[in-house]
Every structure is written in structure tokens, then in C-alpha cells.
Amino acid sequence: MTGYSLSKRIFDVSLVLLTAPLTLPLGLVVSGLVLLKEGRPLFFAARRAGHHCVEFKALKFRTMRTGHGEIGGVSGGHKSDLISPFSARLRKLRLDELPQLLNVLRGEMSLIGPRPTDPRYVALFPELYAKIYETKPGLTGLATLHMHRFEDRILGACRTAEETEQVYCRRCIPRKARFDLIYSDYIRKNGAFCFDIAILFRTLRFIIGAKTKS
């Protein structure tokens, strides 16, 4: 572990623990609401590729209705009937990803970095993701900030799983990868926390803005 990686790990764990008096009660409230409105199970463990493309289980609050079998891939318009208005709001506010703070504590994720992806896309673009995941994946990152609305808009217009998959691979992955590689290159060359902190604050502004608009 390099000096920067160790410092970032200390930063991640310290910030998660320092904010626990806020995030733990929030997580309990969200858990109660999910249980009340959606029932069990509360959580969903998604197979994801992480640091050096090693697979792990990313934790989330469940936001899709059960009883429809295993439905993989990214979420497009074809899944809209499986997501209730309550769950859609959780997703918009990124509250469904609160359990991933446990992934951060376990060292599988960082607070800032490229988002972990479904291993199927790593298999389709192995060289690309090998470069991206030289950096540990994060709860939020540069691609998240710049691509979130774009991705929601174009995937939301897809009406079949096949169309969603094609649009995601053709239009989303290349654009997200550019931002992820910009981040990875910057961190590798500079190893500075100012970039991470700027991304973290912009993410908070984004979430607060989404809350006030909804």
C-alpha cells in the first residue's frame, strides 16, 4: 500500500466513523421505511467488480419488487414497473447506497472513486476496466457527478432489457470511462486529497439539490 493509499484509507474510515452519529440513525429510518413500504428483504447484495477487478458484494437497500426472478443488468425504463415511487425516491437521493458504508469499512470500496460495475461489463471490456480499477471503486466519483442525469434520461427511455444493454454499452460506458480515467490519472500523478474533497462536496450539493426539487 502506497503512502497515498494508506492516507486515503485512514481518511475513509475516519470520515465514516465521524459521521456515524448521523448516518446510523438515517440508516435505521430508511430501514424502517423500506420494511414498512416494501417488506423483506431489506438489503440486496449485488455482485460487483472492484479494485483490480476482484469481485465483491456491494450492499444496498432493496429497491426492486421481489417475485420476478433474478433481473440483472443496469436499470432502464423496462424495469420501471419493478420500482415503486418510494424506491425511486430513495435512488434519486442515493439513500439506497447507504449500506455501502460497510463496504468502505471493510476496505472493498473508498468514499471517492469509480463506481463498481457488474462483472459482465468487465468481461465485455476487460482492458478498459483493468485500467479503471487500478483505483479502488467509490461511493461517488467524477463519472457519477457528470453522468448521473444523462444515464437516467437515456436509459429511462429504453423499453426492453436488450435496448437498455445496447444503449448502456454504446453510450454510457465509454463516457463514464473517460471521467473515471481522468480521475485515476490525476490521483496517480498527484495523489492529492483536494480533488476527492471537491467531489465529495459536489456530491452532497447534488443530493441536497435533488431533495429540494423533489
Side-chain angles (χ1 to χ4, degrees):
M1 184 178 286
T2 66
Y4 173 74
S5 298
L6 178 59
S7 298
K8 187 168 184 175
R9 176 68 180 145
I10 293 171
F11 174 79
D12 286 341
V13 173
S14 298
L15 191 56
V16 171
L17 294 178
L18 284 171
T19 57
L22 173 64
T23 58
L24 279 177
L26 180 60
L28 289 173
V29 170
V30 175
S31 296
L33 290 173
V34 172
L35 185 62
L36 179 66
K37 292 181 174 292
E38 304 293 347
R40 296 181 183 275
L42 290 177
F43 303 102
F44 175 69
R47 288 177 59 242
R48 291 292 181 262
H51 201 198
H52 301 307
C53 297
V54 175
E55 286 190 27
F56 72 101
K57 294 292 183 70
L59 303 174
K60 291 185 174 186
F61 285 115
R62 181 177 61 83
T63 55
M64 283 198 183
R65 294 189 173 103
T66 58
H68 296 273
E70 183 69 24
I71 301 178
V74 293
S75 295
H78 69 289
K79 292 183 179 179
S80 59
D81 291 341
L82 303 179
I83 303 172
S84 69
F86 167 75
S87 292
R89 183 172 173 80
L90 281 186
R91 287 183 168 215
K92 184 176 182 180
L93 297 176
R94 306 288 298 278
L95 291 176
D96 62 314
E97 295 174 0
L98 265 176
Q100 288 173 27
L101 291 172
L102 293 175
N103 292 115
V104 175
L105 288 177
R106 294 198 306 217
E108 297 160 333
M109 294 178 62
S110 177
L111 291 174
I112 310 297
R115 287 293 296 159
T117 194
D118 191 315
R120 75 167 71 186
Y121 302 118
V122 176
L124 290 172
F125 306 97
E127 294 183 3
L128 177 62
Y129 281 108
K131 292 179 181 178
I132 289 173
Y133 291 131
E134 289 177 2
T135 302
K136 188 180 290 186
L139 277 173
T140 186
L142 198 61
T144 304
L145 291 174
H146 288 274
M147 289 292 299
H148 188 73
R149 288 193 179 97
F150 173 81
E151 189 172 305
D152 281 353
R153 177 170 54 82
I154 65 168
L155 295 183
C158 298
R159 290 295 171 258
T160 66
E162 292 76 14
E163 182 185 6
T164 300
E165 192 82 352
Q166 290 173 6
V167 170
Y168 183 73
C169 290
R170 187 178 71 251
R171 300 187 63 186
C172 295
I173 287 179
R175 297 186 188 200
K176 290 169 73 173
R178 283 199 292 270
F179 287 110
D180 286 332
L181 291 173
I182 287 171
Y183 174 81
S184 297
D185 288 342
Y186 182 90
I187 293 301
R188 186 167 53 251
K189 293 175 182 176
N190 300 283
F193 280 114
C194 55
F195 199 21
D196 283 357
I197 292 172
I199 291 172
L200 187 60
F201 275 105
R202 284 193 61 187
T203 300
L204 292 174
R205 284 176 57 192
F206 175 85
I207 294 172
I208 292 169
K211 183 177 181 179
T212 56
K213 290 177 183 177
S214 58

